[in-house]
């Protein structure tokens, strides 16, 4: 039956930035679809654990600061130690720095590129190596942005990183499809998360954004659930290198 293709029973999913916001929503969705979830974050994922275990799901956390490349083995080995295998990676964690482009500092540039772009590639690389060892394929899901398509204002490093992630999604898909590894991405629209707190606090800017969204509202973590389960499941086995926009119609406006 078609709905069976969306089941994730027996799969192990790593989700970065799983302690809050979109990462938490996607982690819960994957668990509800049957996956065992490894949540990665700088801080405790206890709230995510409670939501998953409340529904009878399995959850393990790995505390890791993605500003350091040294945590990559910790993340992969944490999943293997807990569940013996990996199947799904959701590269959700990201940071944003706001500053006029004319004054944008090298520190703000480097910190965003490290977490949003460099870590995404090298964690995916380590994950793909493990999938190749297992020889059963797997799924990598990157989180892009509306600024993978547009320039934005006062966020040059974020725009650069999210544009790069869309390109990397295609590049990794081209090389790893031969191993039955699907690499795709989700581009959230304007979501009610910590990253957009400043925008939502500015009533004029928030109203202007909502006026352009055909759905007439900010997105929520729940809006990401269907897309992430689809891309993590066998239902998307012939989807490679594509970015799905979950944006309430923003890009179509």
């Amino acid at each position: 039956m078609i709905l069976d293709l969306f089941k994730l029973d027996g799969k192990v999913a790593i989700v970065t930035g799983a302690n809050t916001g979109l990462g938490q929503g996607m982690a819960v969705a994957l668990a509800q679809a049957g996956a065992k979830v490894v949540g990665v974050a700088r801080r405790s994922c206890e709230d995510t654990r409670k939501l998953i275990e409340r529904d009878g799901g399995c959850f393990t956390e790995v505390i890791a600061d993605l500003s350091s490349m040294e945590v990559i083995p910790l993340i992969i080995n944490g999943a293997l130690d807990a569940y013996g295998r990996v199947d799904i990676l959701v590269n959700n964690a990201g940071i944003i720095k706001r500053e006029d482009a004319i004054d944008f500092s090298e520190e703000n540039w480097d910190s965003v590129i490290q977490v949003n772009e460099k870590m995404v590639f090298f964690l995916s690389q380590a994950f793909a190596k493990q999938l190749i060892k297992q020889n059963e394929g797997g799924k990598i899901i990157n989180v892009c942005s509306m600024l993978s398509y547009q320039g934005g204002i006062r966020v040059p490093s974020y725009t650069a990183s999210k544009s790069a992630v869309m390109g990397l999604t295609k590049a990794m898909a081209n090389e790893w499809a031969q191993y039955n590894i699907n690499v795709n991405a989700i581009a959230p629209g304007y979501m009610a998360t910590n990253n957009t707190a400043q925008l939502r606090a500015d009533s004029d800017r928030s109203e202007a954004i909502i006026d352009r969204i055909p759905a007439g509202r900010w997105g929520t973590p729940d809006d990401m659930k269907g897309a992430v389960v689809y891309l993590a499941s066998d239902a998307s086995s012939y989807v490679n290198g594509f970015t799905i926009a979950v944006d309430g119609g923003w890009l179509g406006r």
Side-chain angles (χ1 to χ4, degrees):
M1 299 294 287
I2 182 62
L3 291 181
D4 291 337
L5 293 179
F6 291 86
K7 293 180 179 178
L8 301 178
D9 297 345
K11 304 295 185 181
V12 176
I14 298 174
V15 181
T16 66
N19 59 315
T20 188
L22 301 185
Q24 182 179 83
M26 289 187 287
V28 169
L30 294 170
Q32 288 175 343
K36 299 172 182 176
V37 177
V38 179
V40 180
R42 288 181 298 171
R43 294 178 291 275
S44 171
C45 296
E46 190 59 27
D47 289 343
T48 306
R49 177 193 300 278
K50 289 177 181 177
L51 290 171
I52 288 175
E53 293 183 348
R54 181 189 64 189
D55 295 331
C58 297
F59 180 83
T60 295
E61 73 174 13
V62 175
I63 302 298
D65 184 348
L66 300 186
S67 67
S68 169
M69 304 303 290
E70 295 177 0
V71 303
I72 291 176
L74 176 68
I75 294 169
I76 301 297
N77 291 332
L80 295 176
D81 290 345
Y83 301 121
R85 61 178 295 115
V86 294
D87 300 281
I88 301 155
L89 171 64
V90 181
N91 284 306
N92 164 74
I95 62 173
I96 191 167
K97 300 290 184 180
R98 300 182 187 278
E99 186 178 14
D100 290 345
I102 198 70
D103 298 315
F104 207 83
S105 69
E106 185 176 1
E107 179 183 3
N108 280 347
W109 180 273
D110 289 345
S111 63
V112 172
I113 296 299
Q114 161 64 30
V115 175
N116 294 11
E117 180 182 341
K118 186 176 179 180
M119 176 57 71
V120 166
F121 175 74
F122 284 102
L123 180 55
S124 296
Q125 181 189 71
F127 185 82
K129 288 178 179 179
Q130 178 59 34
L131 291 180
I132 292 168
K133 286 181 183 179
Q134 294 173 186
N135 196 32
E136 295 179 25
K139 307 281 187 169
I140 296 175
I141 303 166
N142 298 322
V143 175
C144 292
S145 167
M146 291 297 95
L147 297 187
S148 300
Y149 302 91
Q150 300 168 324
I153 299 170
R154 304 188 73 244
V155 287
S157 60
Y158 186 84
T159 301
S161 68
K162 292 302 185 177
S163 297
V165 168
M166 182 180 282
L168 285 173
T169 298
K170 299 172 185 177
M172 292 187 290
N174 288 342
E175 294 196 38
W176 298 343
Q178 64 181 307
Y179 303 112
N180 195 28
I181 299 172
N182 298 88
V183 187
N184 293 289
I186 303 171
Y190 283 86
M191 298 284 179
T193 65
N194 293 339
N195 275 354
T196 61
Q198 289 185 8
L199 292 177
R200 289 181 289 115
D202 183 333
S203 59
D204 291 339
R205 189 80 187 278
S206 180
E207 183 178 351
I209 288 169
I210 292 174
D211 284 346
R212 182 179 159 169
I213 300 172
R217 64 174 176 85
W218 288 81
T220 71
D222 282 348
D223 292 316
M224 298 286 286
K225 289 182 175 181
V228 75
V229 169
Y230 168 64
L231 291 178
S233 73
D234 289 339
S236 62
S237 62
Y238 200 56
V239 180
N240 291 75
F242 192 71
T243 298
I244 297 175
V246 180
D247 66 349
W250 172 274
L251 291 175
R253 188 62 177 264

